Amino acid sequence: MKVKLIDLSQEEPYFNQVRTSIKIVPFHDFLIQRLKEENNPRQSFFQQSMEQFKEVADWDQEITPENLFRFRKIFDIIYFTFTPPIFSDLENIWALAAPIKEKFFYGTDVFYNLLTNTDGTLKKNLINREGLLRIAQRKKRIIYSLILQQFYNYTSNWKSEIIHSYKDETSKLKRFYRLTFDNQFIKIKLNGTPPTIDLTTIETDEEDDENGIVARLQKILPLENFYFEGFSIVRISDITSEYAFDHIKDIVVNLIPGQKVYKDVNSSLGDLLGNQNIDITLLPLLRVNDKLAIDSFKDVDQYLDNHCDNQNFEKEAYLDAINNFIQQPQTCFYSDLNNLHPNEPAIISFFRNKQIKSLGIIPVYQEKQLIGILEILSKHKNEINSQCLLVINPVLPVLRQLLLTTIHEFNQTIDQIIERNFTPLQPATQWRFNEAAWNYLKQSTEGNQPEIEHVNFPLVYPLYGAIDIRNSSKERNQALQSDMYYQLNLLTDLLKKLS
């Protein structure tokens, strides 16, 4: 445990106007109350804790940077009171902070390691303007939930937590943390009497509505009129995996046709694995007449080009390797491609020749049909092993849905091209029109002005034939409709003359 002041509140000018002071008096009151309520072995712990206050001079005064170390024993007691004995200090990210401000003065070693470099300086990427604005807005809700509870006996449904992200300087990956604030030891004083508020307008589950409510509360209850004293207990947990999973799920659930999401999904999968030396690619297997057509869909083709450029793959050779692999797909992990492995798929030789040192390939199925491949590649050996599958496995159902959506969108595009250019088809000839639509789509993908080709069957001699004219049914229906309108108008004119 450390006693060290780290003041991030200077980065938040809005809260610098709010008057606060650090005091342990609320914790002393808490111990007195627990002594009255407890009648078990814990009572002796609270009694001993009370005795420690006698050893600290002026314990009821404000804690400042100058007298901070004098309260070390009391800080230790607070930590032991609220931390189960089974928790390790090496894993528990825990700290004490000034009321409503990011001014930390005591915490576990792992907490200070999270915030500072080895030389004690603050990590550069820890705070950014966008993150500060988000934190400030969330903190306002936490503050006003305290005010509403203490002065109006009203408990809001606003959570006392903040989600914060930053790019780790070592791994170069984004990390997400949940900061949970225990504010039971903050006492609030008000200049004057609290005004009347209609509490029925406060409850909401929508974040935008919450922001609007907070803005109204700021006008009715300006924070400048309040004085906060005591301290907060801050617990921090790494939720990178949880956040990455939820982010991927949100992308898929809110997917808009044509939206480019694969790069974002791959990035979140990288956050999930937490290794900067790993490159992850989710590849949808688009097919026309059972032939691979990944490079024929504009958005997927651009995504494929970027992947090949990043890995220095020749696109045609890469697609040939994929095509060979999907003939006999299998889940495989190789931690060191410098070594030859018995019965390894042919695609492994392709990656080995491209200086890939370790890899994992996960085929993705839907009802026994192969719909995609998840590649995990690294140019460093021993970076990838079967443990990666345990991390990825929970998100596979969501990835499966994304692949199905992309395949459906591709198939729908093929069908629309056929409907625009050809008459309704017989099932026996559908394959040829699929091919024509595929060629049309490839022209568009390559940036050329697409032209639909003429479809004929020069070596086919039918025993039975039928002729259909494109849009003939539509034109016939329009003609019948016009004829009926004409007859109804004649009948209307006749009835008018008779009357």
Side-chain angles (χ1 to χ4, degrees), residues 219-248:
K219 295 178 180 179
I220 302 171
L221 302 168
L223 292 182
E224 294 82 0
N225 295 343
F226 294 89
Y227 177 72
F228 301 82
E229 65 177 28
F231 62 90
S232 293
I233 299 174
V234 184
R235 298 178 178 89
I236 301 178
S237 52
D238 188 335
I239 59 165
T240 302
S241 296
E242 176 188 338
Y243 189 91
F245 178 82
D246 289 341
H247 182 61
I248 294 171

PDB file of all heavy atoms in Angstrom, residues 219-248:
ATOM      1  N   LYS A 219     -29.049  24.105 -12.885  1.00  0.00           N
ATOM      2  CA  LYS A 219     -29.652  25.438 -12.760  1.00  0.00           C
ATOM      3  C   LYS A 219     -30.363  25.601 -11.415  1.00  0.00           C
ATOM      4  O   LYS A 219     -30.323  26.666 -10.792  1.00  0.00           O
ATOM      5  CB  LYS A 219     -30.640  25.671 -13.906  1.00  0.00           C
ATOM      6  CG  LYS A 219     -29.974  25.711 -15.286  1.00  0.00           C
ATOM      7  CD  LYS A 219     -31.008  25.906 -16.379  1.00  0.00           C
ATOM      8  CE  LYS A 219     -30.342  25.942 -17.762  1.00  0.00           C
ATOM      9  NZ  LYS A 219     -31.327  26.096 -18.857  1.00  0.00           N
ATOM     10  N   ILE A 220     -31.025  24.525 -10.971  1.00  0.00           N
ATOM     11  CA  ILE A 220     -31.782  24.597  -9.709  1.00  0.00           C
ATOM     12  C   ILE A 220     -30.848  24.478  -8.502  1.00  0.00           C
ATOM     13  O   ILE A 220     -31.024  25.175  -7.494  1.00  0.00           O
ATOM     14  CB  ILE A 220     -32.843  23.467  -9.666  1.00  0.00           C
ATOM     15  CG1 ILE A 220     -33.786  23.572 -10.874  1.00  0.00           C
ATOM     16  CG2 ILE A 220     -33.642  23.532  -8.371  1.00  0.00           C
ATOM     17  CD1 ILE A 220     -34.707  22.376 -11.021  1.00  0.00           C
ATOM     18  N   LEU A 221     -29.845  23.590  -8.634  1.00  0.00           N
ATOM     19  CA  LEU A 221     -28.929  23.307  -7.522  1.00  0.00           C
ATOM     20  C   LEU A 221     -27.485  23.498  -7.987  1.00  0.00           C
ATOM     21  O   LEU A 221     -26.758  22.522  -8.224  1.00  0.00           O
ATOM     22  CB  LEU A 221     -29.127  21.871  -7.031  1.00  0.00           C
ATOM     23  CG  LEU A 221     -30.517  21.468  -6.545  1.00  0.00           C
ATOM     24  CD1 LEU A 221     -30.608  19.961  -6.384  1.00  0.00           C
ATOM     25  CD2 LEU A 221     -30.836  22.162  -5.227  1.00  0.00           C
ATOM     26  N   PRO A 222     -27.034  24.737  -8.135  1.00  0.00           N
ATOM     27  CA  PRO A 222     -25.642  24.959  -8.569  1.00  0.00           C
ATOM     28  C   PRO A 222     -24.665  24.348  -7.575  1.00  0.00           C
ATOM     29  O   PRO A 222     -24.817  24.487  -6.361  1.00  0.00           O
ATOM     30  CB  PRO A 222     -25.517  26.491  -8.595  1.00  0.00           C
ATOM     31  CG  PRO A 222     -26.920  27.003  -8.618  1.00  0.00           C
ATOM     32  CD  PRO A 222     -27.755  26.006  -7.893  1.00  0.00           C
ATOM     33  N   LEU A 223     -23.667  23.650  -8.089  1.00  0.00           N
ATOM     34  CA  LEU A 223     -22.714  22.968  -7.213  1.00  0.00           C
ATOM     35  C   LEU A 223     -21.905  23.946  -6.372  1.00  0.00           C
ATOM     36  O   LEU A 223     -21.351  23.569  -5.328  1.00  0.00           O
ATOM     37  CB  LEU A 223     -21.770  22.100  -8.049  1.00  0.00           C
ATOM     38  CG  LEU A 223     -22.412  20.886  -8.743  1.00  0.00           C
ATOM     39  CD1 LEU A 223     -21.362  20.084  -9.495  1.00  0.00           C
ATOM     40  CD2 LEU A 223     -23.134  20.001  -7.738  1.00  0.00           C
ATOM     41  N   GLU A 224     -21.826  25.206  -6.810  1.00  0.00           N
ATOM     42  CA  GLU A 224     -21.089  26.218  -6.038  1.00  0.00           C
ATOM     43  C   GLU A 224     -21.706  26.453  -4.666  1.00  0.00           C
ATOM     44  O   GLU A 224     -21.051  26.965  -3.749  1.00  0.00           O
ATOM     45  CB  GLU A 224     -21.035  27.542  -6.806  1.00  0.00           C
ATOM     46  CG  GLU A 224     -20.223  27.480  -8.098  1.00  0.00           C
ATOM     47  CD  GLU A 224     -21.013  26.910  -9.258  1.00  0.00           C
ATOM     48  OE1 GLU A 224     -22.195  26.559  -9.048  1.00  0.00           O
ATOM     49  OE2 GLU A 224     -20.455  26.790 -10.363  1.00  0.00           O
ATOM     50  N   ASN A 225     -22.999  26.066  -4.507  1.00  0.00           N
ATOM     51  CA  ASN A 225     -23.695  26.281  -3.235  1.00  0.00           C
ATOM     52  C   ASN A 225     -23.452  25.152  -2.233  1.00  0.00           C
ATOM     53  O   ASN A 225     -23.956  25.198  -1.117  1.00  0.00           O
ATOM     54  CB  ASN A 225     -25.201  26.422  -3.469  1.00  0.00           C
ATOM     55  CG  ASN A 225     -25.525  27.672  -4.271  1.00  0.00           C
ATOM     56  OD1 ASN A 225     -24.710  28.589  -4.392  1.00  0.00           O
ATOM     57  ND2 ASN A 225     -26.722  27.718  -4.852  1.00  0.00           N
ATOM     58  N   PHE A 226     -22.690  24.131  -2.666  1.00  0.00           N
ATOM     59  CA  PHE A 226     -22.497  22.965  -1.809  1.00  0.00           C
ATOM     60  C   PHE A 226     -21.043  22.841  -1.381  1.00  0.00           C
ATOM     61  O   PHE A 226     -20.131  23.316  -2.065  1.00  0.00           O
ATOM     62  CB  PHE A 226     -22.928  21.686  -2.540  1.00  0.00           C
ATOM     63  CG  PHE A 226     -24.401  21.622  -2.831  1.00  0.00           C
ATOM     64  CD1 PHE A 226     -24.918  22.142  -4.007  1.00  0.00           C
ATOM     65  CD2 PHE A 226     -25.275  21.041  -1.927  1.00  0.00           C
ATOM     66  CE1 PHE A 226     -26.274  22.094  -4.278  1.00  0.00           C
ATOM     67  CE2 PHE A 226     -26.633  20.979  -2.193  1.00  0.00           C
ATOM     68  CZ  PHE A 226     -27.127  21.506  -3.362  1.00  0.00           C
ATOM     69  N   TYR A 227     -20.866  22.186  -0.255  1.00  0.00           N
ATOM     70  CA  TYR A 227     -19.524  21.921   0.272  1.00  0.00           C
ATOM     71  C   TYR A 227     -19.440  20.432   0.591  1.00  0.00           C
ATOM     72  O   TYR A 227     -20.279  19.889   1.317  1.00  0.00           O
ATOM     73  CB  TYR A 227     -19.268  22.750   1.531  1.00  0.00           C
ATOM     74  CG  TYR A 227     -17.937  22.494   2.177  1.00  0.00           C
ATOM     75  CD1 TYR A 227     -16.756  22.947   1.590  1.00  0.00           C
ATOM     76  CD2 TYR A 227     -17.850  21.791   3.386  1.00  0.00           C
ATOM     77  CE1 TYR A 227     -15.526  22.708   2.183  1.00  0.00           C
ATOM     78  CE2 TYR A 227     -16.619  21.553   3.989  1.00  0.00           C
ATOM     79  CZ  TYR A 227     -15.465  22.013   3.382  1.00  0.00           C
ATOM     80  OH  TYR A 227     -14.248  21.776   3.961  1.00  0.00           O
ATOM     81  N   PHE A 228     -18.455  19.745   0.001  1.00  0.00           N
ATOM     82  CA  PHE A 228     -18.331  18.297   0.137  1.00  0.00           C
ATOM     83  C   PHE A 228     -17.114  17.969   1.002  1.00  0.00           C
ATOM     84  O   PHE A 228     -16.005  18.449   0.728  1.00  0.00           O
ATOM     85  CB  PHE A 228     -18.150  17.649  -1.238  1.00  0.00           C
ATOM     86  CG  PHE A 228     -19.280  17.911  -2.196  1.00  0.00           C
ATOM     87  CD1 PHE A 228     -19.343  19.105  -2.912  1.00  0.00           C
ATOM     88  CD2 PHE A 228     -20.284  16.979  -2.384  1.00  0.00           C
ATOM     89  CE1 PHE A 228     -20.368  19.350  -3.797  1.00  0.00           C
ATOM     90  CE2 PHE A 228     -21.323  17.222  -3.275  1.00  0.00           C
ATOM     91  CZ  PHE A 228     -21.370  18.409  -3.978  1.00  0.00           C
ATOM     92  N   GLU A 229     -17.314  17.141   2.024  1.00  0.00           N
ATOM     93  CA  GLU A 229     -16.187  16.734   2.847  1.00  0.00           C
ATOM     94  C   GLU A 229     -16.263  15.235   3.126  1.00  0.00           C
ATOM     95  O   GLU A 229     -17.346  14.641   3.156  1.00  0.00           O
ATOM     96  CB  GLU A 229     -16.136  17.507   4.167  1.00  0.00           C
ATOM     97  CG  GLU A 229     -17.291  17.250   5.112  1.00  0.00           C
ATOM     98  CD  GLU A 229     -17.118  18.007   6.433  1.00  0.00           C
ATOM     99  OE1 GLU A 229     -16.465  19.064   6.420  1.00  0.00           O
ATOM    100  OE2 GLU A 229     -17.647  17.525   7.448  1.00  0.00           O
ATOM    101  N   GLY A 230     -15.094  14.640   3.313  1.00  0.00           N
ATOM    102  CA  GLY A 230     -15.005  13.196   3.528  1.00  0.00           C
ATOM    103  C   GLY A 230     -14.040  12.590   2.528  1.00  0.00           C
ATOM    104  O   GLY A 230     -13.009  13.181   2.207  1.00  0.00           O
ATOM    105  N   PHE A 231     -14.406  11.435   1.976  1.00  0.00           N
ATOM    106  CA  PHE A 231     -13.561  10.779   0.981  1.00  0.00           C
ATOM    107  C   PHE A 231     -14.384   9.727   0.244  1.00  0.00           C
ATOM    108  O   PHE A 231     -15.478   9.338   0.689  1.00  0.00           O
ATOM    109  CB  PHE A 231     -12.330  10.118   1.638  1.00  0.00           C
ATOM    110  CG  PHE A 231     -12.669   9.031   2.617  1.00  0.00           C
ATOM    111  CD1 PHE A 231     -12.803   7.709   2.208  1.00  0.00           C
ATOM    112  CD2 PHE A 231     -12.859   9.328   3.970  1.00  0.00           C
ATOM    113  CE1 PHE A 231     -13.125   6.712   3.113  1.00  0.00           C
ATOM    114  CE2 PHE A 231     -13.178   8.337   4.876  1.00  0.00           C
ATOM    115  CZ  PHE A 231     -13.315   7.018   4.446  1.00  0.00           C
ATOM    116  N   SER A 232     -13.869   9.278  -0.883  1.00  0.00           N
ATOM    117  CA  SER A 232     -14.488   8.200  -1.665  1.00  0.00           C
ATOM    118  C   SER A 232     -13.564   7.001  -1.704  1.00  0.00           C
ATOM    119  O   SER A 232     -12.334   7.152  -1.706  1.00  0.00           O
ATOM    120  CB  SER A 232     -14.773   8.654  -3.101  1.00  0.00           C
ATOM    121  OG  SER A 232     -15.765   9.644  -3.154  1.00  0.00           O
ATOM    122  N   ILE A 233     -14.156   5.821  -1.750  1.00  0.00           N
ATOM    123  CA  ILE A 233     -13.400   4.596  -2.017  1.00  0.00           C
ATOM    124  C   ILE A 233     -13.573   4.267  -3.494  1.00  0.00           C
ATOM    125  O   ILE A 233     -14.700   4.185  -3.995  1.00  0.00           O
ATOM    126  CB  ILE A 233     -13.895   3.433  -1.146  1.00  0.00           C
ATOM    127  CG1 ILE A 233     -13.704   3.758   0.339  1.00  0.00           C
ATOM    128  CG2 ILE A 233     -13.184   2.141  -1.506  1.00  0.00           C
ATOM    129  CD1 ILE A 233     -14.288   2.724   1.277  1.00  0.00           C
ATOM    130  N   VAL A 234     -12.462   4.118  -4.192  1.00  0.00           N
ATOM    131  CA  VAL A 234     -12.502   3.872  -5.636  1.00  0.00           C
ATOM    132  C   VAL A 234     -11.992   2.464  -5.918  1.00  0.00           C
ATOM    133  O   VAL A 234     -10.898   2.090  -5.489  1.00  0.00           O
ATOM    134  CB  VAL A 234     -11.627   4.890  -6.397  1.00  0.00           C
ATOM    135  CG1 VAL A 234     -11.752   4.672  -7.901  1.00  0.00           C
ATOM    136  CG2 VAL A 234     -12.021   6.312  -6.028  1.00  0.00           C
ATOM    137  N   ARG A 235     -12.804   1.692  -6.609  1.00  0.00           N
ATOM    138  CA  ARG A 235     -12.406   0.350  -7.050  1.00  0.00           C
ATOM    139  C   ARG A 235     -12.374   0.335  -8.576  1.00  0.00           C
ATOM    140  O   ARG A 235     -13.315   0.806  -9.219  1.00  0.00           O
ATOM    141  CB  ARG A 235     -13.372  -0.707  -6.523  1.00  0.00           C
ATOM    142  CG  ARG A 235     -13.415  -0.786  -4.995  1.00  0.00           C
ATOM    143  CD  ARG A 235     -14.439  -1.822  -4.530  1.00  0.00           C
ATOM    144  NE  ARG A 235     -14.463  -1.942  -3.078  1.00  0.00           N
ATOM    145  CZ  ARG A 235     -15.236  -1.206  -2.288  1.00  0.00           C
ATOM    146  NH1 ARG A 235     -16.039  -0.283  -2.813  1.00  0.00           N
ATOM    147  NH2 ARG A 235     -15.201  -1.379  -0.982  1.00  0.00           N
ATOM    148  N   ILE A 236     -11.310  -0.200  -9.110  1.00  0.00           N
ATOM    149  CA  ILE A 236     -11.136  -0.218 -10.563  1.00  0.00           C
ATOM    150  C   ILE A 236     -11.001  -1.660 -11.031  1.00  0.00           C
ATOM    151  O   ILE A 236     -10.267  -2.455 -10.447  1.00  0.00           O
ATOM    152  CB  ILE A 236      -9.881   0.583 -10.979  1.00  0.00           C
ATOM    153  CG1 ILE A 236     -10.003   2.035 -10.490  1.00  0.00           C
ATOM    154  CG2 ILE A 236      -9.691   0.549 -12.489  1.00  0.00           C
ATOM    155  CD1 ILE A 236      -8.787   2.891 -10.813  1.00  0.00           C
ATOM    156  N   SER A 237     -11.725  -1.996 -12.072  1.00  0.00           N
ATOM    157  CA  SER A 237     -11.628  -3.348 -12.639  1.00  0.00           C
ATOM    158  C   SER A 237     -11.416  -3.254 -14.144  1.00  0.00           C
ATOM    159  O   SER A 237     -11.995  -2.392 -14.818  1.00  0.00           O
ATOM    160  CB  SER A 237     -12.896  -4.157 -12.329  1.00  0.00           C
ATOM    161  OG  SER A 237     -14.060  -3.440 -12.706  1.00  0.00           O
ATOM    162  N   ASP A 238     -10.571  -4.130 -14.646  1.00  0.00           N
ATOM    163  CA  ASP A 238     -10.280  -4.197 -16.080  1.00  0.00           C
ATOM    164  C   ASP A 238     -11.431  -4.930 -16.769  1.00  0.00           C
ATOM    165  O   ASP A 238     -11.656  -6.112 -16.526  1.00  0.00           O
ATOM    166  CB  ASP A 238      -8.962  -4.929 -16.312  1.00  0.00           C
ATOM    167  CG  ASP A 238      -8.505  -4.858 -17.766  1.00  0.00           C
ATOM    168  OD1 ASP A 238      -9.354  -4.683 -18.658  1.00  0.00           O
ATOM    169  OD2 ASP A 238      -7.291  -4.976 -18.020  1.00  0.00           O
ATOM    170  N   ILE A 239     -12.172  -4.223 -17.623  1.00  0.00           N
ATOM    171  CA  ILE A 239     -13.325  -4.823 -18.303  1.00  0.00           C
ATOM    172  C   ILE A 239     -13.104  -4.847 -19.808  1.00  0.00           C
ATOM    173  O   ILE A 239     -14.071  -4.820 -20.578  1.00  0.00           O
ATOM    174  CB  ILE A 239     -14.622  -4.056 -17.968  1.00  0.00           C
ATOM    175  CG1 ILE A 239     -14.498  -2.584 -18.394  1.00  0.00           C
ATOM    176  CG2 ILE A 239     -14.971  -4.160 -16.503  1.00  0.00           C
ATOM    177  CD1 ILE A 239     -15.833  -1.854 -18.442  1.00  0.00           C
ATOM    178  N   THR A 240     -11.832  -4.889 -20.226  1.00  0.00           N
ATOM    179  CA  THR A 240     -11.532  -4.848 -21.657  1.00  0.00           C
ATOM    180  C   THR A 240     -12.238  -5.976 -22.405  1.00  0.00           C
ATOM    181  O   THR A 240     -12.863  -5.738 -23.450  1.00  0.00           O
ATOM    182  CB  THR A 240     -10.012  -4.939 -21.893  1.00  0.00           C
ATOM    183  OG1 THR A 240      -9.365  -3.864 -21.200  1.00  0.00           O
ATOM    184  CG2 THR A 240      -9.688  -4.844 -23.361  1.00  0.00           C
ATOM    185  N   SER A 241     -12.162  -7.186 -21.891  1.00  0.00           N
ATOM    186  CA  SER A 241     -12.795  -8.328 -22.564  1.00  0.00           C
ATOM    187  C   SER A 241     -14.306  -8.154 -22.619  1.00  0.00           C
ATOM    188  O   SER A 241     -14.937  -8.359 -23.671  1.00  0.00           O
ATOM    189  CB  SER A 241     -12.441  -9.627 -21.835  1.00  0.00           C
ATOM    190  OG  SER A 241     -11.059  -9.869 -21.894  1.00  0.00           O
ATOM    191  N   GLU A 242     -14.879  -7.777 -21.504  1.00  0.00           N
ATOM    192  CA  GLU A 242     -16.333  -7.565 -21.440  1.00  0.00           C
ATOM    193  C   GLU A 242     -16.766  -6.454 -22.389  1.00  0.00           C
ATOM    194  O   GLU A 242     -17.754  -6.580 -23.122  1.00  0.00           O
ATOM    195  CB  GLU A 242     -16.723  -7.214 -20.001  1.00  0.00           C
ATOM    196  CG  GLU A 242     -18.181  -6.870 -19.803  1.00  0.00           C
ATOM    197  CD  GLU A 242     -18.453  -6.357 -18.394  1.00  0.00           C
ATOM    198  OE1 GLU A 242     -17.657  -6.652 -17.479  1.00  0.00           O
ATOM    199  OE2 GLU A 242     -19.459  -5.645 -18.216  1.00  0.00           O
ATOM    200  N   TYR A 243     -16.008  -5.357 -22.399  1.00  0.00           N
ATOM    201  CA  TYR A 243     -16.362  -4.211 -23.243  1.00  0.00           C
ATOM    202  C   TYR A 243     -16.214  -4.570 -24.723  1.00  0.00           C
ATOM    203  O   TYR A 243     -17.063  -4.214 -25.541  1.00  0.00           O
ATOM    204  CB  TYR A 243     -15.476  -3.019 -22.902  1.00  0.00           C
ATOM    205  CG  TYR A 243     -15.919  -1.726 -23.563  1.00  0.00           C
ATOM    206  CD1 TYR A 243     -16.809  -0.866 -22.922  1.00  0.00           C
ATOM    207  CD2 TYR A 243     -15.447  -1.367 -24.820  1.00  0.00           C
ATOM    208  CE1 TYR A 243     -17.221   0.308 -23.529  1.00  0.00           C
ATOM    209  CE2 TYR A 243     -15.856  -0.206 -25.428  1.00  0.00           C
ATOM    210  CZ  TYR A 243     -16.733   0.637 -24.779  1.00  0.00           C
ATOM    211  OH  TYR A 243     -17.145   1.799 -25.390  1.00  0.00           O
ATOM    212  N   ALA A 244     -15.115  -5.267 -25.070  1.00  0.00           N
ATOM    213  CA  ALA A 244     -14.890  -5.651 -26.465  1.00  0.00           C
ATOM    214  C   ALA A 244     -16.013  -6.557 -26.959  1.00  0.00           C
ATOM    215  O   ALA A 244     -16.523  -6.390 -28.087  1.00  0.00           O
ATOM    216  CB  ALA A 244     -13.543  -6.349 -26.608  1.00  0.00           C
ATOM    217  N   PHE A 245     -16.423  -7.512 -26.110  1.00  0.00           N
ATOM    218  CA  PHE A 245     -17.515  -8.416 -26.481  1.00  0.00           C
ATOM    219  C   PHE A 245     -18.811  -7.635 -26.707  1.00  0.00           C
ATOM    220  O   PHE A 245     -19.508  -7.835 -27.713  1.00  0.00           O
ATOM    221  CB  PHE A 245     -17.705  -9.466 -25.387  1.00  0.00           C
ATOM    222  CG  PHE A 245     -18.836 -10.415 -25.647  1.00  0.00           C
ATOM    223  CD1 PHE A 245     -18.670 -11.497 -26.478  1.00  0.00           C
ATOM    224  CD2 PHE A 245     -20.083 -10.197 -25.062  1.00  0.00           C
ATOM    225  CE1 PHE A 245     -19.724 -12.377 -26.728  1.00  0.00           C
ATOM    226  CE2 PHE A 245     -21.137 -11.060 -25.306  1.00  0.00           C
ATOM    227  CZ  PHE A 245     -20.950 -12.154 -26.138  1.00  0.00           C
ATOM    228  N   ASP A 246     -19.136  -6.735 -25.776  1.00  0.00           N
ATOM    229  CA  ASP A 246     -20.365  -5.946 -25.901  1.00  0.00           C
ATOM    230  C   ASP A 246     -20.310  -5.031 -27.124  1.00  0.00           C
ATOM    231  O   ASP A 246     -21.329  -4.805 -27.790  1.00  0.00           O
ATOM    232  CB  ASP A 246     -20.590  -5.115 -24.634  1.00  0.00           C
ATOM    233  CG  ASP A 246     -20.989  -5.960 -23.443  1.00  0.00           C
ATOM    234  OD1 ASP A 246     -21.434  -7.100 -23.658  1.00  0.00           O
ATOM    235  OD2 ASP A 246     -20.849  -5.493 -22.294  1.00  0.00           O
ATOM    236  N   HIS A 247     -19.116  -4.498 -27.416  1.00  0.00           N
ATOM    237  CA  HIS A 247     -18.971  -3.606 -28.570  1.00  0.00           C
ATOM    238  C   HIS A 247     -19.226  -4.365 -29.874  1.00  0.00           C
ATOM    239  O   HIS A 247     -19.937  -3.868 -30.765  1.00  0.00           O
ATOM    240  CB  HIS A 247     -17.576  -2.995 -28.580  1.00  0.00           C
ATOM    241  CG  HIS A 247     -17.350  -2.024 -29.700  1.00  0.00           C
ATOM    242  ND1 HIS A 247     -18.089  -0.863 -29.845  1.00  0.00           N
ATOM    243  CD2 HIS A 247     -16.479  -2.039 -30.759  1.00  0.00           C
ATOM    244  CE1 HIS A 247     -17.681  -0.210 -30.919  1.00  0.00           C
ATOM    245  NE2 HIS A 247     -16.713  -0.905 -31.487  1.00  0.00           N
ATOM    246  N   ILE A 248     -18.670  -5.564 -29.978  1.00  0.00           N
ATOM    247  CA  ILE A 248     -18.898  -6.382 -31.177  1.00  0.00           C
ATOM    248  C   ILE A 248     -20.383  -6.711 -31.304  1.00  0.00           C
ATOM    249  O   ILE A 248     -20.971  -6.650 -32.390  1.00  0.00           O
ATOM    250  CB  ILE A 248     -18.053  -7.669 -31.119  1.00  0.00           C
ATOM    251  CG1 ILE A 248     -16.563  -7.317 -31.193  1.00  0.00           C
ATOM    252  CG2 ILE A 248     -18.430  -8.614 -32.254  1.00  0.00           C
ATOM    253  CD1 ILE A 248     -15.646  -8.497 -30.925  1.00  0.00           C
TER     254      ILE A 248
END
